Amino acid sequence: MSRTIERNTQAMETALANMASLMAEAGDEGDAKRLRELQSKLDQGQLTAAFCGHFSAGKSTLVNKLCGTELLPSSPIPTSANVVSIKNGEAKAVIKKLVSGQEQTLEVPIQDVNAYCKDGETVLSVSLSYPIPRLGSHTVLLDTPGIDSTDDAHRMATESALHLADVVFYVMDYNHVQSEINFTFAKQLKEWGKPLYLIVNQIDKHRDSELSFEAYKQSVDEAFGNWHLEPSGIVYLSLRQPNHPHSEWSSLLALFESLAELRTPLAVCSVDSSARHVVRLHGKALEAASEEERERLLTLAGGEGEAEKVREEIASLEGEIERGQAEVDTLRTRLRLEVQSLLDNANLTPAATRDLAQSFLESRKPGFKAGLLFAGAKTAAEQERRLQAFYHDLHAKVQAGIEWHLLDLLRRAADGIGWRGETLEAELSPFVNGLWDADLLVSHVNTGASFGNAYTMTYSREIAEAVKSQYRKRALTWIDALGDRAAAAGEAAAAPLRARLAELATQAGALSALAALAERAAAHLARL
């Protein structure tokens, strides 16, 4: 387990360093500094326990008792504007403050530290050390300003303490446990993902005659449960009456010992939670930094309300143009498939037509003669008669099976794009003329074949395919022409749409820039 924690710690230190660099490159040195503080905290390997609460809840008194000496003022008057860190060591106080804009470190006697605690303007931090065996080398205590302060400096000081804390102790006055400010602050603490222990102080105010202590404890559990808050534990104390029967001082000390033993995994979890919180803060900082540019782009886009309307109109116009283009492509594809299906299903050489084909083929056999007298002329006449009989029968089949259906298909397609009337018929009238004639039938005869039923079947298939091929080529040419006309009509219909898009170009550019701004920020945060 220790090796796993060590690997996690090393990986986290590397990640924090990389994240800090990315934030600094983005111009957010403040959050980069917070991550470097977390990296330093991991190196120290100490348990950091933060104490928060109201000014009058007894927070400083509790810290003093844990330390075994009066290190902090315990007046109900707000006296601290800074986070005060306390550790075991030789008695001294180290103050970091700004002097003429420069950070200086001062070492002062412990008894003089209170004056510095009150200075929230120039004092940056107050660190106390004192012989406190209970803390050993493993625990650091953080005393924060009261949460009911309205001073922004106090609030920021408290947040800085929570940032570095591994565990938070929230001290409440017995009479004010169920105040809304307690629930609100506890909910904020929950968002940090840090272990939270509630300390109900001054339970010597409790009166069993009014309510049993068990019922009081149950009411506290229920109140926090109603706010969906589940603290890691609740400790009841009376610092004024150490021997109070319900005081859990010994439980608090045992808790501290157990937490100290878990300081390394607690630190890993704590730093993870704080780093994620810093990333959220960094995201807000990026938003603030880009707010001016965002507002400028929003103004170009027509404002927040208009921007959405512009987006919708642009999407609608682009969608309509795309649908028009797609319809042209679909028209070509659909017609080609329908023409192919029509030709595939056309039966041009049924049995009766094949009989005429066989009769025609017999007249083309080498040595075919008709009659004895004037055999040459009669043979030629008979060959022509059989050719025309076969041609006219096949032509009738082609007209019924292909031409009529093909013309109907093309007329309906033309009508679908608004092309109808005399101009259409003028285009269609020569469509089927001159595609093939009787010479086609003659040219496909293989005089070297063995004439018979098998060859008649082969010849009939070849003739049917040759005729269909002519209609296929003519239809595809016409479909392309029809597609070009549809495309031209589509472009004409799209012209006002494109003109409107051009009018929206400035707003569209602003919207694209807004989207790019959001995408860059999202990608940056995702990388973190």
Side-chain angles (χ1 to χ4, degrees), residues 74-137:
S74 53
S75 165
I77 301 172
T79 56
S80 179
N82 296 279
V83 172
V84 181
S85 66
I86 303 170
K87 63 181 180 179
N88 179 45
E90 61 177 290
K92 64 178 180 179
V94 177
I95 312 295
K96 287 185 180 180
K97 64 177 301 184
L98 289 175
V99 179
S100 300
Q102 299 295 316
E103 184 177 320
Q104 291 188 2
T105 301
L106 308 175
E107 189 171 318
V108 302
I110 288 264
Q111 59 270 23
D112 296 338
V113 77
N114 290 345
Y116 293 97
C117 290
K118 297 175 184 178
D119 183 0
E121 296 295 325
T122 63
V123 172
L124 302 176
S125 67
V126 179
S127 301
L128 305 181
S129 65
Y130 195 83
I132 309 171
R134 179 174 289 133
L135 302 183
S137 61

Side-chain angles (χ1 to χ4, degrees), residues 411-424:
R411 282 193 182 98
R412 284 187 287 107
D415 187 71
I417 63 169
W419 185 18
R420 55 184 73 90
E422 293 180 3
T423 58
L424 172 64

Side-chain angles (χ1 to χ4, degrees), residues 331-350:
L331 174 67
R332 295 178 194 270
T333 302
R334 177 177 61 80
L335 288 177
R336 286 168 182 161
L337 290 173
E338 289 186 13
V339 166
Q340 187 60 49
S341 176
L342 185 156
L343 294 174
D344 288 344
N345 292 322
N347 182 11
L348 302 183
T349 54

Side-chain angles (χ1 to χ4, degrees), residues 339-389:
V339 166
Q340 187 60 49
S341 176
L342 185 156
L343 294 174
D344 288 344
N345 292 322
N347 182 11
L348 302 183
T349 54
T353 304
R354 290 197 301 275
D355 290 342
L356 291 172
Q358 185 165 354
S359 176
F360 161 68
L361 289 173
E362 287 173 353
S363 73
R364 297 291 160 162
K365 285 182 181 180
F368 174 76
K369 291 182 180 180
L372 297 175
L373 296 174
F374 311 106
K378 290 182 179 179
T379 297
E382 181 62 18
Q383 287 177 325
E384 181 63 20
R385 185 189 68 77
R386 294 187 184 190
L387 170 62
Q388 291 301 320

Side-chain angles (χ1 to χ4, degrees), residues 122-282:
T122 63
V123 172
L124 302 176
S125 67
V126 179
S127 301
L128 305 181
S129 65
Y130 195 83
I132 309 171
R134 179 174 289 133
L135 302 183
S137 61
H138 50 69
T139 301
V140 177
L141 306 183
L142 301 179
D143 183 44
T144 68
I147 65 163
D148 35 8
S149 170
T150 56
D151 192 316
D152 283 345
H154 292 192
R155 179 184 55 79
M156 292 174 66
T158 299
E159 287 188 359
S160 70
L162 296 176
H163 170 64
L164 296 173
D166 299 316
V167 60
V168 180
F169 290 90
Y170 185 55
V171 185
M172 301 174 290
D173 183 308
Y174 170 88
N175 285 328
H176 302 115
V177 170
Q178 298 189 33
S179 65
E180 186 171 344
I181 190 172
N182 285 339
F183 296 129
T184 303
F185 189 73
K187 206 163 186 64
Q188 291 173 350
L189 291 174
K190 181 182 178 181
E191 293 175 2
W192 284 73
K194 306 291 182 80
L196 170 64
Y197 289 89
L198 305 178
I199 295 182
V200 180
N201 191 23
Q202 303 173 15
I203 60 170
D204 46 276
K205 297 177 181 178
H206 178 75
R207 298 291 177 266
D208 279 324
S209 59
E210 299 173 2
L211 180 74
S212 72
F213 194 72
E214 286 302 317
Y216 171 76
K217 289 171 65 176
Q218 184 176 351
S219 70
V220 172
D221 291 339
E222 291 175 353
F224 280 91
N226 290 336
W227 279 70
H228 305 290
L229 294 166
E230 297 180 2
S232 299
I234 303 178
V235 180
Y236 293 86
L237 296 178
S238 173
L239 300 178
R240 292 178 182 173
Q241 297 180 20
N243 297 322
H244 191 283
H246 298 299
S247 183
E248 298 174 332
W249 178 254
S250 58
S251 298
L252 179 62
L253 296 181
L255 174 61
F256 257 91
E257 290 180 7
S258 63
L259 290 173
E261 292 176 0
L262 294 171
R263 60 186 177 276
T264 302
L266 273 174
V268 171
C269 292
S270 166
V271 168
D272 179 80
S273 296
S274 287
R276 294 178 188 279
H277 184 72
V278 171
V279 169
R280 291 192 290 271
L281 292 177
H282 177 64

Side-chain angles (χ1 to χ4, degrees), residues 27-73:
D28 186 1
E29 187 56 47
D31 286 323
K33 180 182 177 183
R34 290 185 179 91
L35 291 179
R36 286 191 284 267
E37 288 173 347
L38 292 175
Q39 189 180 3
S40 175
K41 170 184 166 53
L42 279 179
D43 287 336
Q44 293 167 2
Q46 294 175 315
L47 173 72
T48 304
F51 288 81
C52 304
H54 294 273
F55 288 120
S56 59
K59 171 172 55 69
S60 297
T61 302
L62 171 59
V63 174
N64 284 337
K65 186 169 183 180
L66 284 169
C67 295
T69 186
E70 296 291 321
L71 289 178
L72 302 173

